[in-house]
Amino acid sequence: MSFSSDEYNELLNLVFDIVQAKAGEPLTESNEWQNHAQVLSGKFFKHMLSARHLYEGDRFFSSSGFDLEYVDYSSVSAIVRAALENYLALH
């Protein structure tokens, strides 16, 4: 699955809905843990967006005419690992 696929965009929308599900509700002593869960889930969502952005790649043009199109897979891997760690901490 590519990061630009409809399935990935649908997943992003579902995660966004989950992150926002409790937004605006008051916190009480019995549900104050939800504040931490919302922060972690927001970080997870942002990591997913960053991974998609990095996976789309970039292009470098030098003044001497060199043209390089690239995807920084090591950065994508680091962001995906951070997202997974965030998910595990949340779960």
Side-chain angles (χ1 to χ4, degrees):
M1 171 172 63
S2 75
F3 280 97
S4 61
S5 71
D6 290 339
E7 292 92 0
Y8 195 77
N9 289 328
E10 185 175 342
L11 177 64
L12 284 173
N13 279 300
L14 289 171
V15 171
F16 180 78
D17 290 344
I18 290 169
V19 170
Q20 294 299 315
K22 297 288 185 176
E25 290 185 14
L27 293 176
T28 64
E29 273 189 42
S30 63
N31 72 355
E32 62 187 13
W33 62 270
Q34 291 178 357
N35 186 50
H36 300 294
Q38 207 261 348
V39 170
L40 283 174
S41 59
K43 287 175 68 175
F44 175 70
F45 176 73
K46 290 174 184 175
H47 287 322
M48 291 177 64
L49 287 176
S50 296
R52 181 179 65 178
H53 179 74
L54 287 170
Y55 188 77
E56 290 171 353
D58 205 349
R59 197 166 200 164
F60 171 75
F61 299 101
S62 74
S63 57
S64 62
F66 183 75
D67 180 9
L68 173 67
E69 191 171 343
Y70 68 95
V71 173
D72 185 3
Y73 291 106
S74 59
S75 292
V76 173
S77 296
I79 293 293
V80 170
R81 185 189 73 236
L84 179 60
E85 290 170 353
N86 232 328
Y87 174 77
L88 291 173
L90 178 63
H91 192 28

